[in-house]
Amino acid sequence: YPLYTAAIARHSGVPVSYYLDESKGWSTDPAEVERAIQKGQADGVDLKALVVINPGNPTGGVIAEQTAEELIRLCEKYGLVLLADEVYQDNLHQREKHGFHSFKRLVRKIDSKIPLVSFHSISKGVTGECGRRGGYFELANVSEEVVALIYKMVSVGLCPPLGGQVGVDCLVRPPQEGEPSYQLWKDETTAIHKALAKRGKIMTERLNALPGMSCAPALGALYLYPKIELLPKQIEAAKKLGKAPDMLYCHELLDETGICAIPGSGFGQKEGEGHFRLTCLCDGVEEYVDKLETFHRKFYAKYGPAGQ
């Protein structure tokens, strides 16, 4: 997610990227992470931390429990702090098969001593929906001296808005079974989760039916991350405009349909690939995808089939 690379650049750091496996539902491969770690070391980078977003943004992938434990062991092996971005933990589309596994719980389970920072937010889930802002981070296995310094830094700023504070309180203390508001809360949140999963499924099926496009099903989060086959004329046109090819696609999509998508080049991807991130938040997904389908077919007609 670009927020991390931007923060690293701000502090004159060096990002070391690892790639997810699109063919396996955007899964995280510990061997690929270790490859990136070793390459960073070979390049002379003093590695400090491993960032893991689970469920994934922009991919919607969900990390399996065994994989998460292997990532913890990598942090032990290479002396890294684990930054666990878990803000989409309640956005799961196949909960029974692909559940959320908290890194804090697993760190305790295997009695690991790695420093862990866990992030959560009301901006995701079913409360803020990317609009209302409020969140927290929790420290585990971090020395008292470091915690004291963090409190000192935080104390320099003012408190967050009241609405955000109330939202975080509701997030960490939701209604419990037997309380007056529990059933209404349960019914409403269940309905939202079902609606998001249904929209994501419809969008995935229809995107996969388009020429030159493939889309792995999202297991979590609020997005789909389809892959587009880059056309030679598209690549050439983008080069003349000083844009990445998938950025050209997203700009033309916005101009023609009003649909705002984020190009994969903004997140980082393998050389020669093109992706874009779509949200499955909004209602009326059929009309939304109708417009995208029409645009995509016109775009491919405009720039010609691959190979020409």
Side-chain angles (χ1 to χ4, degrees), residues 5 21 36 41 45 50 60-61 64 75 92 105 135 141 184 190 216 227 230 237 251-252 254 258 265 300:
T5 50
D21 190 341
Q41 291 178 329
V45 179
L50 172 65
C75 289
L92 302 171
R105 180 182 68 81
N141 297 333
L184 177 60
T190 299
K227 180 179 181 178
L230 301 179
H251 279 176
E252 292 198 15
L254 178 63
S265 51
Y300 264 51

Side-chain angles (χ1 to χ4, degrees), residues 151-174:
Y151 267 106
K152 185 180 293 185
M153 291 173 60
V154 171
S155 299
V156 172
L158 297 174
C159 63
L162 179 60
Q165 295 185 54
V166 172
V168 170
D169 188 69
C170 293
L171 174 70
V172 300
R173 297 193 302 175

